[in-house]
Amino acid sequence: MRIARFDNNRVGIVQGDAIRDVTGVLAQLPAHRHPFPRHDALIANLEILQNATTVRTVPLGGAALLSPVANPGKIMAAPVNYKKHLEEALADKGIHHGKLVDEIHKAGIFLKATSSVVGPSEGVRLVHTDRRNDHEVELAVVIGTEGHSIAASDALEHVAGYCIGLDMTIRGPEDRSLRKSPDSYTVLGPWLVTPDEVGDPGALEVQIAVNGQVRQREKTSELILSVPQLIAWASSFYTLYPGDVLLTGTPQGVGPVKPGDEMLASISRIGEMRVSVTKA
Ligand code: MN
């Protein structure tokens, strides 16, 4: 199933070139009042979509796609999780460390502000345009069921689905959480694809082109820490909740974007999304 949020917070199921609008199903969600739960209410209850009534069908091309997760509790992200991107990063700094597998464990998983999340239709609005602003295309994993200290062998049972993630980044000396958290610096889309349609998350191809020129293209089989290993590691530190997002790291080929650019990101078995770049 491909689950989209679109237009004015509509919820739909993508089928071919159309979206079945099933927004009415949201009335079945538990009513929450303050204090709100730490999870995303729809992601925690995706089973309600199974028998959802379609009120209308709209063409996909005319829909403004939003982030498939409305209220992520946290955005976790892996730095340097592709071998060649690690080499690229190390070459940039002119330094070299020991084992590749050790590098991500030294760097740890970092968090991005949830207020940085947008969908593809909203575009990226750059700040500090006098500095280098880079694209990073990544496989994004959306957690479906709560867990702590999850074993890698059980990890995929905690996944609600997958989407494309853009981990937009201002280069510079500050902490990652600051440089990667401006509004719109986390793009999620074009929709959430459930695991039964994606299959092995380690057998996908991730790509991004800027203005028609391919910048990054790699297979997720080249991840240093696999999706199950990342979930196990992250959950050894903190509880994962439905709607939490895990950005799995970007492959080699990161590069700058500037206002006026257009990014086209794609992941096999998920889809593609076009994202414009403007100045905030
Ligand atoms: Mn990244």
Side-chain angles (χ1 to χ4, degrees), residues 135 137 166 206-217 253 256-257 261-266 272-275 277:
H135 57 78
V137 64
L166 297 184
V206 176
Q207 179 176 307
I208 190 169
V210 178
N211 302 333
Q213 184 182 23
V214 175
R215 294 267 190 91
Q216 297 181 272
R217 178 192 285 160
V257 291
D261 285 349
E262 186 176 73
M263 301 181 284
L264 180 62
S266 62
E272 64 176 34
M273 63 180 190
R274 204 172 286 277
V275 180
V277 181

Side-chain angles (χ1 to χ4, degrees), residues 148-198:
H148 191 283
S149 303
I150 299 165
S153 56
D154 299 331
L156 295 183
E157 293 168 25
H158 289 261
V159 174
Y162 303 89
C163 62
I164 305 171
L166 297 184
D167 175 21
M168 302 303 296
T169 303
I170 303 170
R171 298 296 173 198
E174 302 92 341
D175 191 272
R176 281 188 178 91
S177 65
L178 178 70
R179 294 182 288 105
K180 292 168 170 278
S181 287
D183 296 356
S184 82
Y185 275 49
T186 304
V187 187
L188 299 177
W191 38 68
L192 183 74
V193 185
T194 49
D196 56 301
E197 291 196 20
V198 173

Side-chain angles (χ1 to χ4, degrees), residues 170 227 244:
I170 303 170
V227 170
D244 282 3

Side-chain angles (χ1 to χ4, degrees), residues 77-81 85 110 112 135-138 165-169 171 176 180 247-251 254:
V80 291
N81 198 25
H85 175 54
F110 63 92
K112 303 186 69 172
H135 57 78
E136 295 189 357
V137 64
E138 316 199 359
L166 297 184
D167 175 21
M168 302 303 296
T169 303
R171 298 296 173 198
R176 281 188 178 91
K180 292 168 170 278
L247 297 169
T248 55
T250 200
V254 298

